Amino acid sequence: MGVIQRVKKPTTRKGKKVLQSKEPKPIEGPKQCLFLQGRNPSDRTRKLLKDIYDLKKPDGAYLSRKNDFVPFEDATLIEKLCYKKEAALFGVGSHSKKRPHNVILGRTFDYGILDMIELGADNYKGMKEFHNAKVLSGLKPCLIFNGPAWDLNQDLKRLKSLFIDFFNREKVETIRLQGLEHVLSFTATESGNIYFRSYKILLKKSGQRTPRIELEEIGPSIDFKLRRTRLASDDLYKEACRVPQELRTGTKKNISRDAFGSKLGRIHMGKQDINRLQTRKMKGLRKTPEEKKQFLIKRKKEKQAAKQAQNAVAE
């Protein structure tokens, strides 16, 4: 039986801030990614992970030290490092005779393994082999998924979600055309091949208001082959994708919008006595002494009539 760890309370202000930063948040920022070297990584897998790390910057960490472990057999080291580095995503490169040029991409939930997908890099062309201008690091790329296989195959559907997690950044409400500079293209086939390409967007003159778009490949260029997978159960995956209560938007009644986009609301109010409404006190709206006297006489007569009606009922 394992020893139960004690709950350590922070004793300093800095320690309290560190623990608060690790707590779950309603709106999360870009996910951090940890790139590791597994058992006997090849030169191709090292360069491949380094290129993916360059695309992920600055939301990632690259560890060049070799680790003698197999993630599909024992993933405790990954969970420990992800907890230490506060990373939700990870990538591991390895090489063997049975599985050459192997890359494992995965993600964690509650500091435990959620999904792991193993890919083989059949063909690879690094960013340094493309002798042209690159995009700046930290840009939000445009992700394009080509082929119907992404929605038909369950493994590819989960891999698509994993790629979106890898290259997703801050949430934006509006998009500026000049801000789109980088495109990542993923093409899937029914045989399990995934073609990963990276392009730079060039805006050319077209003689019109809308510019002409050209794509220039800047690398990396990778041909992946889908191998082993370890996917989370439906209940665990549903729990990981659950939307917090404070972010859920319910239906609002009696609210509509007109043709111009203006927001219209309808409210229901009970019967009100206009004479007793509190209005702005202005000298011009004050009652004269004669009006006050008539109001008191009328109120006195109403009380007397009500009292006489009560006495008549009692008799």
Side-chain angles (χ1 to χ4, degrees):
M1 183 176 179
V3 179
I4 300 176
Q5 296 182 354
R6 296 180 181 179
V7 178
K8 296 182 180 180
K9 294 184 178 181
T11 57
T12 59
R13 183 179 180 87
K14 184 177 180 181
K16 186 177 180 181
K17 291 178 67 176
V18 169
L19 291 181
Q20 288 178 352
S21 65
K22 293 184 178 182
E23 293 179 354
K25 302 176 181 59
I27 301 177
E28 295 182 347
K31 295 183 178 180
Q32 300 292 323
C33 184
L34 192 64
F35 295 94
L36 306 170
Q37 302 296 333
R39 182 183 297 173
N40 298 325
S42 64
D43 185 61
R44 180 186 298 183
T45 56
R46 281 197 297 265
K47 292 180 179 179
L48 190 151
L49 287 180
K50 191 67 170 60
D51 284 347
I52 298 179
Y53 165 68
D54 291 337
L55 296 177
K56 182 64 178 172
K57 282 181 181 179
D59 306 318
Y62 183 84
L63 304 181
S64 58
R65 181 180 177 182
K66 294 182 182 180
N67 300 280
D68 189 10
F69 75 105
V70 180
F72 276 86
E73 297 179 3
D74 185 12
T76 55
L77 179 61
I78 294 178
E79 295 175 352
K80 182 180 179 181
L81 290 175
C82 287
Y83 176 77
K84 182 179 180 180
K85 300 290 185 179
E86 297 184 27
L89 305 169
F90 63 90
V92 182
S94 61
H95 178 73
S96 64
K97 185 177 180 180
K98 187 178 181 180
R99 294 182 178 86
H101 312 299
N102 200 43
V103 176
I104 299 174
L105 302 179
R107 53 188 168 183
T108 62
F109 172 67
D110 197 14
Y111 301 108
I113 298 297
L114 181 67
D115 292 330
M116 276 196 304
I117 299 178
E118 189 177 66
L119 303 171
D122 293 341
N123 295 317
Y124 166 72
K125 189 177 180 181
M127 296 177 65
K128 294 183 179 179
E129 299 182 34
F130 293 89
H131 303 286
N132 49 16
K134 305 297 188 291
V135 296
L136 298 176
S137 63
L139 286 178
K140 188 178 179 67
C142 176
L143 305 181
I144 300 176
F145 293 90
N146 306 308
W150 290 112
D151 299 324
L152 300 177
N153 192 335
Q154 183 63 28
D155 294 342
L156 291 178
K157 188 183 296 185
R158 196 66 65 87
L159 180 59
K160 177 182 177 181
S161 174
L162 183 60
F163 278 138
I164 293 175
D165 273 353
F166 254 85
F167 300 105
N168 187 27
R169 296 191 188 274
E170 296 83 0
K171 185 178 179 180
V172 294
E173 300 295 337
T174 56
I175 299 176
R176 184 170 175 262
L177 183 59
Q178 285 75 12
L180 291 175
E181 301 181 21
H182 191 201
V183 172
L184 294 178
S185 174
F186 304 90
T187 305
T189 62
E190 296 180 356
S191 58
N193 294 323
I194 299 101
Y195 301 105
F196 175 85
R197 300 293 185 269
S198 176
Y199 301 97
K200 181 180 180 181
I201 300 178
L202 303 177
L203 303 179
K204 302 291 186 178
K205 292 182 179 180
S206 61
Q208 300 177 359
R209 188 170 184 178
T210 304
R212 181 169 54 90
I213 305 298
E214 289 187 2
L215 298 180
E216 181 183 5
E217 190 171 2
I218 59 175
S221 174
I222 313 169
D223 293 349
F224 284 123
K225 180 68 177 180
L226 186 63
R227 291 177 180 171
R228 293 183 296 176
T229 61
R230 180 184 292 180
L231 306 179
S233 61
D234 294 338
D235 296 337
L236 182 59
Y237 188 73
K238 184 178 180 181
E239 177 66 21
C241 298
R242 185 174 61 88
V243 180
Q245 184 67 30
E246 52 267 28
L247 296 181
R248 297 179 184 176
T249 56
T251 57
K252 297 182 180 180
K253 298 181 180 179
N254 302 327
I255 294 178
S256 60
R257 293 185 179 274
D258 57 9
F260 301 99
S262 301
K263 190 175 182 180
L264 305 177
R266 182 176 59 183
I267 60 175
H268 299 273
M269 298 181 64
K271 187 177 180 180
Q272 293 181 337
D273 188 1
I274 301 177
N275 294 325
R276 295 187 178 183
L277 286 177
Q278 178 65 34
T279 58
R280 187 176 180 183
K281 296 181 180 179
M282 296 176 58
K283 290 184 178 181
L285 299 177
R286 290 180 182 177
K287 295 181 180 179
T288 61
E290 186 65 25
E291 289 177 347
K292 291 181 180 180
K293 186 176 180 181
Q294 294 295 332
F295 178 75
L296 293 175
I297 293 173
K298 182 180 178 180
R299 192 174 180 183
K300 187 176 181 180
K301 288 181 179 181
E302 290 178 354
K303 288 183 179 180
Q304 290 178 357
K307 190 174 182 180
Q308 290 177 2
Q310 290 178 358
N311 295 335
V313 173
E315 293 177 356

PDB file of all heavy atoms in Angstrom, residues 116-133:
ATOM      1  N   MET A 116      -2.734   8.948 -26.863  1.00  0.00           N
ATOM      2  CA  MET A 116      -1.402   8.769 -27.436  1.00  0.00           C
ATOM      3  C   MET A 116      -1.563   8.157 -28.821  1.00  0.00           C
ATOM      4  O   MET A 116      -2.263   7.155 -28.985  1.00  0.00           O
ATOM      5  CB  MET A 116      -0.522   7.864 -26.558  1.00  0.00           C
ATOM      6  CG  MET A 116       0.177   8.579 -25.432  1.00  0.00           C
ATOM      7  SD  MET A 116       1.534   7.620 -24.723  1.00  0.00           S
ATOM      8  CE  MET A 116       0.722   6.113 -24.270  1.00  0.00           C
ATOM      9  N   ILE A 117      -0.922   8.772 -29.800  1.00  0.00           N
ATOM     10  CA  ILE A 117      -0.995   8.297 -31.181  1.00  0.00           C
ATOM     11  C   ILE A 117       0.426   8.188 -31.717  1.00  0.00           C
ATOM     12  O   ILE A 117       1.212   9.130 -31.624  1.00  0.00           O
ATOM     13  CB  ILE A 117      -1.840   9.236 -32.055  1.00  0.00           C
ATOM     14  CG1 ILE A 117      -3.278   9.297 -31.528  1.00  0.00           C
ATOM     15  CG2 ILE A 117      -1.824   8.782 -33.513  1.00  0.00           C
ATOM     16  CD1 ILE A 117      -4.185  10.233 -32.289  1.00  0.00           C
ATOM     17  N   GLU A 118       0.736   7.040 -32.274  1.00  0.00           N
ATOM     18  CA  GLU A 118       2.077   6.751 -32.786  1.00  0.00           C
ATOM     19  C   GLU A 118       2.087   6.925 -34.304  1.00  0.00           C
ATOM     20  O   GLU A 118       1.235   6.371 -35.014  1.00  0.00           O
ATOM     21  CB  GLU A 118       2.479   5.329 -32.406  1.00  0.00           C
ATOM     22  CG  GLU A 118       3.923   4.998 -32.697  1.00  0.00           C
ATOM     23  CD  GLU A 118       4.263   3.593 -32.231  1.00  0.00           C
ATOM     24  OE1 GLU A 118       3.712   2.636 -32.811  1.00  0.00           O
ATOM     25  OE2 GLU A 118       5.070   3.445 -31.295  1.00  0.00           O
ATOM     26  N   LEU A 119       3.049   7.703 -34.798  1.00  0.00           N
ATOM     27  CA  LEU A 119       3.182   7.987 -36.223  1.00  0.00           C
ATOM     28  C   LEU A 119       4.591   7.630 -36.684  1.00  0.00           C
ATOM     29  O   LEU A 119       5.550   7.798 -35.938  1.00  0.00           O
ATOM     30  CB  LEU A 119       2.907   9.465 -36.509  1.00  0.00           C
ATOM     31  CG  LEU A 119       1.544  10.017 -36.069  1.00  0.00           C
ATOM     32  CD1 LEU A 119       1.520  11.531 -36.223  1.00  0.00           C
ATOM     33  CD2 LEU A 119       0.415   9.385 -36.859  1.00  0.00           C
ATOM     34  N   GLY A 120       4.671   7.165 -37.913  1.00  0.00           N
ATOM     35  CA  GLY A 120       5.966   6.878 -38.510  1.00  0.00           C
ATOM     36  C   GLY A 120       6.290   7.896 -39.586  1.00  0.00           C
ATOM     37  O   GLY A 120       5.471   8.172 -40.469  1.00  0.00           O
ATOM     38  N   ALA A 121       7.486   8.478 -39.522  1.00  0.00           N
ATOM     39  CA  ALA A 121       7.908   9.493 -40.489  1.00  0.00           C
ATOM     40  C   ALA A 121       8.568   8.793 -41.669  1.00  0.00           C
ATOM     41  O   ALA A 121       9.770   8.504 -41.662  1.00  0.00           O
ATOM     42  CB  ALA A 121       8.857  10.480 -39.831  1.00  0.00           C
ATOM     43  N   ASP A 122       7.776   8.501 -42.706  1.00  0.00           N
ATOM     44  CA  ASP A 122       8.324   7.806 -43.882  1.00  0.00           C
ATOM     45  C   ASP A 122       9.234   8.729 -44.690  1.00  0.00           C
ATOM     46  O   ASP A 122      10.340   8.348 -45.065  1.00  0.00           O
ATOM     47  CB  ASP A 122       7.179   7.286 -44.750  1.00  0.00           C
ATOM     48  CG  ASP A 122       6.391   6.182 -44.052  1.00  0.00           C
ATOM     49  OD1 ASP A 122       6.932   5.598 -43.094  1.00  0.00           O
ATOM     50  OD2 ASP A 122       5.239   5.927 -44.440  1.00  0.00           O
ATOM     51  N   ASN A 123       8.753   9.929 -44.977  1.00  0.00           N
ATOM     52  CA  ASN A 123       9.540  10.917 -45.728  1.00  0.00           C
ATOM     53  C   ASN A 123       9.561  12.211 -44.939  1.00  0.00           C
ATOM     54  O   ASN A 123       8.558  12.596 -44.322  1.00  0.00           O
ATOM     55  CB  ASN A 123       8.938  11.163 -47.121  1.00  0.00           C
ATOM     56  CG  ASN A 123       9.012   9.929 -47.997  1.00  0.00           C
ATOM     57  OD1 ASN A 123      10.033   9.248 -48.009  1.00  0.00           O
ATOM     58  ND2 ASN A 123       7.931   9.632 -48.703  1.00  0.00           N
ATOM     59  N   TYR A 124      10.708  12.864 -44.967  1.00  0.00           N
ATOM     60  CA  TYR A 124      10.859  14.094 -44.182  1.00  0.00           C
ATOM     61  C   TYR A 124      11.812  15.040 -44.890  1.00  0.00           C
ATOM     62  O   TYR A 124      12.867  14.632 -45.389  1.00  0.00           O
ATOM     63  CB  TYR A 124      11.377  13.767 -42.778  1.00  0.00           C
ATOM     64  CG  TYR A 124      11.872  14.967 -42.015  1.00  0.00           C
ATOM     65  CD1 TYR A 124      10.985  15.922 -41.526  1.00  0.00           C
ATOM     66  CD2 TYR A 124      13.237  15.161 -41.797  1.00  0.00           C
ATOM     67  CE1 TYR A 124      11.447  17.033 -40.827  1.00  0.00           C
ATOM     68  CE2 TYR A 124      13.696  16.256 -41.107  1.00  0.00           C
ATOM     69  CZ  TYR A 124      12.794  17.188 -40.631  1.00  0.00           C
ATOM     70  OH  TYR A 124      13.258  18.291 -39.957  1.00  0.00           O
ATOM     71  N   LYS A 125      11.401  16.300 -44.918  1.00  0.00           N
ATOM     72  CA  LYS A 125      12.234  17.372 -45.461  1.00  0.00           C
ATOM     73  C   LYS A 125      12.141  18.544 -44.504  1.00  0.00           C
ATOM     74  O   LYS A 125      11.061  19.107 -44.302  1.00  0.00           O
ATOM     75  CB  LYS A 125      11.760  17.770 -46.865  1.00  0.00           C
ATOM     76  CG  LYS A 125      12.709  18.714 -47.585  1.00  0.00           C
ATOM     77  CD  LYS A 125      12.210  18.999 -48.994  1.00  0.00           C
ATOM     78  CE  LYS A 125      13.164  19.938 -49.726  1.00  0.00           C
ATOM     79  NZ  LYS A 125      12.682  20.248 -51.103  1.00  0.00           N
ATOM     80  N   GLY A 126      13.259  18.879 -43.873  1.00  0.00           N
ATOM     81  CA  GLY A 126      13.273  19.874 -42.809  1.00  0.00           C
ATOM     82  C   GLY A 126      13.125  21.300 -43.311  1.00  0.00           C
ATOM     83  O   GLY A 126      13.197  21.597 -44.511  1.00  0.00           O
ATOM     84  N   MET A 127      12.944  22.198 -42.337  1.00  0.00           N
ATOM     85  CA  MET A 127      12.788  23.615 -42.665  1.00  0.00           C
ATOM     86  C   MET A 127      14.072  24.202 -43.244  1.00  0.00           C
ATOM     87  O   MET A 127      14.026  25.118 -44.078  1.00  0.00           O
ATOM     88  CB  MET A 127      12.372  24.391 -41.404  1.00  0.00           C
ATOM     89  CG  MET A 127      11.020  24.003 -40.846  1.00  0.00           C
ATOM     90  SD  MET A 127      10.603  24.873 -39.309  1.00  0.00           S
ATOM     91  CE  MET A 127      10.484  26.562 -39.898  1.00  0.00           C
ATOM     92  N   LYS A 128      15.224  23.687 -42.825  1.00  0.00           N
ATOM     93  CA  LYS A 128      16.489  24.230 -43.309  1.00  0.00           C
ATOM     94  C   LYS A 128      16.750  23.891 -44.781  1.00  0.00           C
ATOM     95  O   LYS A 128      17.580  24.538 -45.427  1.00  0.00           O
ATOM     96  CB  LYS A 128      17.644  23.704 -42.446  1.00  0.00           C
ATOM     97  CG  LYS A 128      17.596  24.208 -41.011  1.00  0.00           C
ATOM     98  CD  LYS A 128      18.785  23.714 -40.221  1.00  0.00           C
ATOM     99  CE  LYS A 128      18.748  24.251 -38.792  1.00  0.00           C
ATOM    100  NZ  LYS A 128      19.907  23.762 -37.988  1.00  0.00           N
ATOM    101  N   GLU A 129      16.057  22.884 -45.293  1.00  0.00           N
ATOM    102  CA  GLU A 129      16.232  22.527 -46.697  1.00  0.00           C
ATOM    103  C   GLU A 129      15.445  23.427 -47.634  1.00  0.00           C
ATOM    104  O   GLU A 129      15.635  23.368 -48.850  1.00  0.00           O
ATOM    105  CB  GLU A 129      15.816  21.065 -46.908  1.00  0.00           C
ATOM    106  CG  GLU A 129      16.649  20.071 -46.096  1.00  0.00           C
ATOM    107  CD  GLU A 129      16.245  18.644 -46.365  1.00  0.00           C
ATOM    108  OE1 GLU A 129      15.862  18.349 -47.519  1.00  0.00           O
ATOM    109  OE2 GLU A 129      16.310  17.818 -45.427  1.00  0.00           O
ATOM    110  N   PHE A 130      14.522  24.228 -47.079  1.00  0.00           N
ATOM    111  CA  PHE A 130      13.785  25.203 -47.890  1.00  0.00           C
ATOM    112  C   PHE A 130      14.489  26.550 -47.724  1.00  0.00           C
ATOM    113  O   PHE A 130      14.415  27.179 -46.660  1.00  0.00           O
ATOM    114  CB  PHE A 130      12.329  25.294 -47.430  1.00  0.00           C
ATOM    115  CG  PHE A 130      11.532  24.050 -47.687  1.00  0.00           C
ATOM    116  CD1 PHE A 130      11.499  23.032 -46.744  1.00  0.00           C
ATOM    117  CD2 PHE A 130      10.825  23.899 -48.861  1.00  0.00           C
ATOM    118  CE1 PHE A 130      10.757  21.886 -46.964  1.00  0.00           C
ATOM    119  CE2 PHE A 130      10.086  22.754 -49.104  1.00  0.00           C
ATOM    120  CZ  PHE A 130      10.051  21.737 -48.157  1.00  0.00           C
ATOM    121  N   HIS A 131      15.152  27.000 -48.755  1.00  0.00           N
ATOM    122  CA  HIS A 131      15.950  28.220 -48.687  1.00  0.00           C
ATOM    123  C   HIS A 131      15.082  29.424 -49.084  1.00  0.00           C
ATOM    124  O   HIS A 131      15.155  29.937 -50.209  1.00  0.00           O
ATOM    125  CB  HIS A 131      17.171  28.109 -49.597  1.00  0.00           C
ATOM    126  CG  HIS A 131      18.043  26.931 -49.283  1.00  0.00           C
ATOM    127  ND1 HIS A 131      18.874  26.866 -48.176  1.00  0.00           N
ATOM    128  CD2 HIS A 131      18.178  25.731 -49.921  1.00  0.00           C
ATOM    129  CE1 HIS A 131      19.506  25.714 -48.154  1.00  0.00           C
ATOM    130  NE2 HIS A 131      19.102  25.002 -49.201  1.00  0.00           N
ATOM    131  N   ASN A 132      14.248  29.841 -48.158  1.00  0.00           N
ATOM    132  CA  ASN A 132      13.392  31.010 -48.380  1.00  0.00           C
ATOM    133  C   ASN A 132      13.068  31.630 -47.031  1.00  0.00           C
ATOM    134  O   ASN A 132      13.479  31.132 -45.969  1.00  0.00           O
ATOM    135  CB  ASN A 132      12.112  30.618 -49.124  1.00  0.00           C
ATOM    136  CG  ASN A 132      11.424  29.406 -48.510  1.00  0.00           C
ATOM    137  OD1 ASN A 132      11.718  29.027 -47.374  1.00  0.00           O
ATOM    138  ND2 ASN A 132      10.530  28.790 -49.243  1.00  0.00           N
ATOM    139  N   ALA A 133      12.332  32.738 -47.082  1.00  0.00           N
ATOM    140  CA  ALA A 133      11.991  33.452 -45.849  1.00  0.00           C
ATOM    141  C   ALA A 133      10.937  32.673 -45.074  1.00  0.00           C
ATOM    142  O   ALA A 133       9.987  32.129 -45.652  1.00  0.00           O
ATOM    143  CB  ALA A 133      11.483  34.856 -46.185  1.00  0.00           C
TER     144      ALA A 133
END
